[in-house]
Amino acid sequence: MDRRRFLKFSSAAAVTATLPHPGAIAAALASVSEPKSDIAAVTGEGDAVSLERAAVQELADALRGRLLLPGMEGYESARRVLNYSIDKHPALIAQCTGAADVQYAVDFARSHDLLLAVKCGGHSFSGKGTCDGGLMIDLSRLRGARVNPASRTAWVDGGSLLGQMDHETAAFGLVTTAGTVSHTGIGGLTLGGGYGRLGRRFGLTLDNVKGVEIVTADGQFRRADGEENPDLYWAVRGGGGNFGVVTSFEMQLHPFDRNVIAGRLVFPLPRARDVLEVYAEFTEDAPRELYADYMIVAPPGSDGVVVLSICYIGSQKDLGRVLDPLRKLGKPMVDDIKDMDYVTLQRSGDDDDPRTTGTYQKSGFIRGISPELAARAVDGFQADPNRLTLLYFQHCGGAISDVAPNATAFAHRAASHNMFCTITWPLEADAASHLQWLRSYWATLDPYTSGFYMNDIADEGQQVVNRNYGVNYERLVQVKNQYDPANLFRLNANVVPTA
């Protein structure tokens, strides 16, 4: 977010924070229905339920943050996630400012058996952060990061965006793995995994979590780390939002020179096959200090280009040797690899995030890029004048693979790459043909995958989700049975309790 947009956002937040709760809620209650009628909502099972107006007012009075109902100022923007093809309308939105607000909201949802969604940054492609007819807990007002440089630790509020954490930690010459788009929410990214440009050196984001503060389904505030509630600590690192709302993360930081070597090599689309084959061999033996992604990017009306995106945090004197295999590809259309500030690099992809278009994605982990996979990926790729089409190979391995599959709830440690294909289209267009193409294309690539990144979940069935947790599934069910036996937290890559 640039400075002008940031100031505009901050000013708007300051104004809305001063709105009087009782009057605003009373006016909203009066406008949404007959004076004495209840508020229509739905349960977690999808059944209709009515909320007494007095109970809704009581929740609003209890919160330090805002409770939004349809028709209130701020409701329309709060209900949205970044994938604008998701168009859902919660009955209530609780904009929590701290753990106490989260406890009130969770208690309300549980006591009324409401469908419950939790939104942090809103990046879930499948819209898990919102719902129709339920209660949304919106963490956008629970943001901030504090650094202790002596202990190399950061405490990050549960609704924070990655850019906020990067900004604070980099000022002390410290860093931890944190995605590739600065306006991603720390909560969803971390609980599901946390790939990023520094992952091959420092591990996944979740590998750097020293502990969490979390409100579980019973409304209790808990600390979870290696000594206190260790089962819960194990589960939240890879088990997603199944176990509660994390209100604070304690993150391990690492000494870091914020100046990195980063940029792109861009080649014409006819080079896609041979560039991918060179990339496949190149990434097999790459040092941990190097992160390299391969993309075919085809904007609307373009056949597309091939992009190699690089981030190197090793010694400058070794750079020539490290990149030499890529230089043998010949002169690219674009070569903008240079010294760059890491925080600036983390913001460089922000404008690429779709906000007013429909989005759909399929993904899967792979263990090496075989010639057969490369052929299918390139030959089957099709640009379209009416959509953006992106094929992506995200670099994994290194420190990520050092951790045992059952050490945390994240089991997919052996992957060399996260392969995914994303399409976006104008909201006014018919999405059917685009979805059909991607599903058909992905069917040719899926046999080469072994599981998928839970943060990229789209429309996979429950059995597929269960299998994707791999060796950790049974233990996750046990933890779910203990902390959320009624499955209050179900809008995620759900672990269904058996209790």
Side-chain angles (χ1 to χ4, degrees), residues 156-178:
V156 186
D157 292 340
S160 302
L161 304 183
L162 302 185
Q164 294 172 297
M165 180 174 70
D166 285 338
H167 175 76
E168 296 296 330
T169 62
F172 294 96
L174 298 168
V175 77
T176 197
T177 307

Side-chain angles (χ1 to χ4, degrees), residues 200 265 267 271-286 290-296 306-311 325-327 329 366 368-370 373-374 391-397 416-419:
R200 287 174 44 77
L265 301 176
F267 298 90
R271 297 288 309 278
R273 178 84 165 270
D274 70 290
V275 172
L276 181 54
E277 291 175 349
V278 169
Y279 169 82
E281 182 177 356
F282 170 70
T283 52
E284 282 185 1
D285 301 317
L290 180 71
Y291 170 86
D293 291 340
Y294 171 99
M295 294 166 274
I296 302 178
V306 180
V307 180
L308 297 179
S309 180
I310 305 295
C311 178
L326 298 184
R327 298 298 187 192
L329 286 166
I366 57 175
I369 305 171
S370 67
L373 172 57
L391 175 67
Y392 206 111
F393 288 83
Q394 184 175 36
H395 203 181
C396 305
S416 66
H417 299 83
N418 179 25
M419 175 179 66

Side-chain angles (χ1 to χ4, degrees), residues 389-406:
T389 312
L390 172 67
L391 175 67
Y392 206 111
F393 288 83
Q394 184 175 36
H395 203 181
C396 305
I400 299 169
S401 300
D402 290 344
V403 181
N406 62 353

Side-chain angles (χ1 to χ4, degrees), residues 171-248:
F172 294 96
L174 298 168
V175 77
T176 197
T177 307
T180 57
V181 175
S182 77
H183 51 67
T184 303
I186 187 73
L189 177 96
T190 304
L191 298 178
Y195 285 94
R197 293 182 172 95
L198 307 181
R200 287 174 44 77
R201 177 65 180 85
F202 300 125
L204 297 170
T205 309
L206 65 80
D207 294 329
N208 292 278
V209 173
K210 300 173 66 175
V212 300
E213 293 175 343
I214 182 172
V215 176
T216 48
D218 57 3
Q220 295 299 306
F221 176 82
R222 290 179 164 89
R223 164 80 183 185
D225 56 29
E227 296 182 358
E228 189 174 356
N229 298 308
D231 54 344
L232 186 58
Y233 174 57
W234 174 86
V236 297
R237 292 176 297 150
N242 271 288
F243 309 100
V245 182
V246 174
T247 59
S248 180

Side-chain angles (χ1 to χ4, degrees), residues 14-308:
V15 171
T16 57
T18 64
L19 291 175
H21 287 209
I25 290 293
L29 288 171
S31 66
V32 296
S33 57
E34 293 300 319
K36 295 184 179 180
S37 66
D38 295 333
I39 304 301
V42 299
T43 69
E45 297 293 340
D47 299 324
V49 65
S50 294
L51 304 176
E52 294 182 357
R53 300 161 69 85
V56 173
Q57 184 68 63
E58 184 178 349
L59 174 61
D61 293 342
L63 297 177
R64 183 172 179 269
R66 303 182 68 209
L67 183 68
L68 302 177
L69 277 66
M72 289 181 62
E73 181 179 354
Y75 173 87
E76 281 299 312
S77 60
R79 74 177 181 86
R80 284 288 194 178
V81 292
L82 293 179
N83 181 359
Y84 266 58
S85 65
I86 306 296
D87 187 20
K88 296 186 177 181
H89 296 77
L92 307 166
I93 300 176
Q95 294 190 308
C96 300
T97 62
D101 279 3
V102 173
Q103 287 182 285
Y104 285 124
V106 168
D107 283 341
F108 187 87
R110 185 189 65 256
S111 62
H112 293 86
D113 196 25
L114 288 180
L115 179 65
L116 179 64
V118 182
K119 187 180 83 166
C120 184
H123 275 248
S124 168
F125 284 104
S126 53
K128 300 298 185 187
T130 188
C131 61
D132 275 324
L135 170 64
M136 173 201 281
I137 293 179
D138 176 11
L139 299 179
S140 62
R141 299 185 68 197
L142 181 55
R143 291 178 175 170
R146 178 171 60 88
V147 176
N148 183 332
S151 63
R152 297 175 181 171
T153 302
W155 288 266
V156 186
D157 292 340
S160 302
L161 304 183
L162 302 185
Q164 294 172 297
M165 180 174 70
D166 285 338
H167 175 76
E168 296 296 330
T169 62
F172 294 96
L174 298 168
V175 77
T176 197
T177 307
T180 57
V181 175
S182 77
H183 51 67
T184 303
I186 187 73
L189 177 96
T190 304
L191 298 178
Y195 285 94
R197 293 182 172 95
L198 307 181
R200 287 174 44 77
R201 177 65 180 85
F202 300 125
L204 297 170
T205 309
L206 65 80
D207 294 329
N208 292 278
V209 173
K210 300 173 66 175
V212 300
E213 293 175 343
I214 182 172
V215 176
T216 48
D218 57 3
Q220 295 299 306
F221 176 82
R222 290 179 164 89
R223 164 80 183 185
D225 56 29
E227 296 182 358
E228 189 174 356
N229 298 308
D231 54 344
L232 186 58
Y233 174 57
W234 174 86
V236 297
R237 292 176 297 150
N242 271 288
F243 309 100
V245 182
V246 174
T247 59
S248 180
F249 294 89
E250 182 181 357
M251 307 297 297
Q252 180 66 59
L253 304 179
H254 308 272
F256 185 68
D257 180 352
R258 63 184 294 162
N259 291 314
V260 301
I261 300 168
R264 304 164 301 160
L265 301 176
V266 182
F267 298 90
L269 187 63
R271 297 288 309 278
R273 178 84 165 270
D274 70 290
V275 172
L276 181 54
E277 291 175 349
V278 169
Y279 169 82
E281 182 177 356
F282 170 70
T283 52
E284 282 185 1
D285 301 317
R288 295 183 174 206
E289 292 77 14
L290 180 71
Y291 170 86
D293 291 340
Y294 171 99
M295 294 166 274
I296 302 178
V297 185
S302 167
D303 291 335
V305 294
V306 180
V307 180
L308 297 179

Side-chain angles (χ1 to χ4, degrees), residues 327-346:
R327 298 298 187 192
K328 293 179 180 179
L329 286 166
K331 184 176 178 59
M333 299 165 60
V334 175
D335 180 351
D336 60 8
I337 296 176
K338 60 185 178 183
D339 288 344
M340 184 181 296
D341 175 75
Y342 174 72
V343 176
T344 301
L345 174 63
Q346 286 288 86

